Amino acid sequence: MNTNGDLPAGNVGSAQPDDLTFVPDGTLLPQSEPPRMVLSSNNWQQVNDVRIYVFRKGSAGDFVYYKPAAEDGLKQDYLSVDDFTLKFAQSPYVVWWGGAQDLNESHSYVGRMQLETGEYTFLAVARDDAKSEVRRISDPNQSNSVYQWPAWSEGETRLLDAVLYCADEEETIATELFSGYTAQTVVVDGTTSHFYRSIFLERAVAGILLYVENIPAVFQAYDPDEDLPTGIIPDPIEYRVIALGIAHGVMLSDRVLIADRKALDGRLNVPQYTSVFNPPTPERVLLKIDIPEYATIRNGIYEGTSPDNVRHPNSLCTGSFVMPQLANEASSPDYESYDKSLYLVYYGYDESLGREFALAWVPIRLDAGAGYNPHYYPLEANHFYSVGRRCYTGNGEDLPDEDEPIDLQKGTTADLVIRIDPFWNEYYGGELGNSDPGLGLDSEWGDHPAGNLQQ
């Protein structure tokens, strides 16, 4: 960074060699510009909006948001690192990842600004929604009255308190998001005109994948519109399953502490009680997928839901980025209080009400080490949680032999297991939070690159 005008105006950047670029051109992997969906366990990553925010040490000893002046003396909200967007000129489908050599993506950047005397740190935020008409994650410099997203305030927003939000919609999905800040601060005292610092970025969101097959087509439930006298239990009715979703129990967090990628307490209600006979209908879910209209039913099971999947034509796959979540706590051992960390929700449709409603909630247990409660666990940033195994070959053209959706044929008694995928963060077993987890868990996944964005 240049602080007093010795370098040419403007920003420049240079990428590392092309062997770090991977362009999937297979027929199985949907090709589109970001923001991208999460459809496999592969550690593909891409961003098209990278910014560097400046924080200055205040009188209280905290680093607070600071807007440096540009060459013309006008304050700038952030420094834009345009180099990351240059990759997309090569192809609209570029996916940047660890590369064939299992290396991190690395960029160098030169910027110019005017800084007052003081001590500074620099926060980098990378995301992939620059071209989105509606952003799913808040912009630090824009408030949003609809979602009640406040903008960061210069001189007030502390680095360790800076928050980004996801949209408060039925599906509270996020987008690819990385963050990191300088390990060493910068002291500006007039004795130097430039400095160099490295910033290592990691994902600030978690990923969830739902990959299932042999979905039950019908569930018995009660008419949610039926109003009966107290003590009268109606007869159940068969309802067609029209969609699947993954819900978080009790409360959902829509925020992440962006500097350290930490989860915050939930603020959004999840269960919405609409009937005394049926389970609650989730007010918000982490992801949702509809049963295709072309699917057929045989022996009570949906068939042909994914005709292009040769091995598993009766499967469905969807995924999304989500905000990190704290671990839930058990509230009642006597009845289902919908407080577990994750559930698979089956949806039906009521004609009289003209809306969807929940037919069943099935808890999703974590495949974790002994002694860890398998139903109450956090969703940590930079971790990938997969219900079913989904991993494309390196060129996106095929699904390997270990591709395996979870069989839902048993309905509410099916054993739903979620695994922490080691591809994203090189987490290889043990319990969550263990700094030395060891090796061995899910070894059948094989070795894959797990590169991070860097510098």
Side-chain angles (χ1 to χ4, degrees), residues 24-31 308 392 395-398:
D25 56 0
T27 58
L28 292 182
L29 186 64
Q31 297 179 335
D308 294 334
Y392 292 95
N395 59 6
E397 292 181 343
D398 198 8

Side-chain angles (χ1 to χ4, degrees), residues 57-312:
K57 195 170 188 178
S59 57
D62 299 317
F63 285 94
V64 295
Y65 180 42
Y66 174 87
K67 297 182 179 182
E71 183 183 18
D72 56 10
L74 296 177
K75 287 188 174 183
Q76 47 190 337
D77 293 334
Y78 54 86
L79 306 177
S80 178
V81 188
D82 296 328
D83 180 39
F84 283 82
T85 67
L86 301 179
K87 304 190 302 292
F88 296 92
Q90 304 171 34
S91 164
Y93 312 126
V94 167
V95 174
W96 195 278
W97 67 329
Q101 305 301 317
D102 194 11
L103 301 175
N104 291 321
E105 178 179 352
S106 180
H107 292 259
S108 59
Y109 163 82
V110 178
R112 181 178 177 181
M113 58 188 162
Q114 299 178 34
L115 296 176
E116 301 173 281
T117 299
E119 187 176 356
Y120 296 86
T121 190
F122 298 84
L123 169 71
V125 177
R127 49 201 289 173
D128 71 342
D129 58 354
K131 297 183 179 181
S132 301
E133 294 182 3
V134 179
R135 288 200 163 190
R136 298 171 180 169
I137 296 180
S138 61
D139 187 319
N141 304 109
Q142 295 181 8
S143 60
N144 186 307
S145 59
V146 175
Y147 296 128
Q148 299 182 351
W149 290 344
W152 292 357
S153 178
E154 184 180 20
E156 295 182 8
T157 301
R158 301 193 312 163
L159 172 66
L160 297 182
D161 294 334
V163 170
L164 290 187
Y165 302 79
C166 72
D168 181 7
E169 301 284 358
E170 179 189 3
E171 290 185 70
T172 55
I173 55 180
T175 60
E176 182 77 283
L177 181 66
F178 287 81
S179 68
Y181 61 95
T182 48
Q184 295 178 322
T185 61
V186 173
V187 176
V188 175
D189 58 7
T191 61
T192 183
S193 62
H194 62 275
F195 58 87
Y196 175 83
R197 290 292 185 274
S198 295
I199 302 177
F200 188 83
L201 290 87
E202 292 184 299
R203 276 190 180 92
V205 288
I208 290 185
L209 178 79
L210 175 66
Y211 186 32
V212 293
E213 67 179 349
N214 299 328
I215 302 163
V218 175
F219 269 82
Q220 285 196 337
Y222 300 97
D223 184 349
D225 193 33
E226 190 168 7
D227 187 14
L228 297 175
T230 303
I232 303 299
I233 300 177
D235 294 326
I237 304 172
E238 285 194 343
Y239 285 91
R240 181 80 60 87
V241 174
I242 65 167
L244 300 175
I246 288 186
H248 191 264
V250 185
M251 298 289 286
L252 187 65
S253 176
D254 61 340
R255 305 166 294 162
V256 60
L257 289 168
I258 191 61
D260 291 330
R261 301 168 294 277
K262 300 296 185 183
L264 285 165
D265 289 335
R267 309 189 309 164
L268 307 177
N269 291 319
V270 177
Q272 184 181 24
Y273 293 88
T274 56
S275 169
V276 296
F277 302 109
N278 293 318
T281 297
E283 190 171 346
R284 301 171 179 88
V285 294
L286 296 174
L287 57 85
K288 191 176 180 183
I289 187 169
D290 294 329
I291 304 296
E293 293 183 358
Y294 51 77
T296 59
I297 299 175
R298 183 179 180 184
N299 296 326
I301 300 297
Y302 277 115
E303 292 190 344
T305 47
S306 295
D308 294 334
N309 188 334
V310 177
R311 288 195 184 93
H312 302 284

Side-chain angles (χ1 to χ4, degrees), residues 29-76:
L29 186 64
Q31 297 179 335
S32 62
E33 294 187 2
R36 66 184 177 93
M37 296 177 64
V38 180
L39 293 177
S40 79
S41 306
N42 298 70
N43 190 41
W44 294 325
Q45 54 197 37
Q46 59 187 14
V47 295
N48 61 4
D49 184 357
V50 181
R51 306 174 181 182
I52 296 177
Y53 288 88
V54 182
F55 288 78
R56 184 186 183 195
K57 195 170 188 178
S59 57
D62 299 317
F63 285 94
V64 295
Y65 180 42
Y66 174 87
K67 297 182 179 182
E71 183 183 18
D72 56 10
L74 296 177
K75 287 188 174 183
Q76 47 190 337

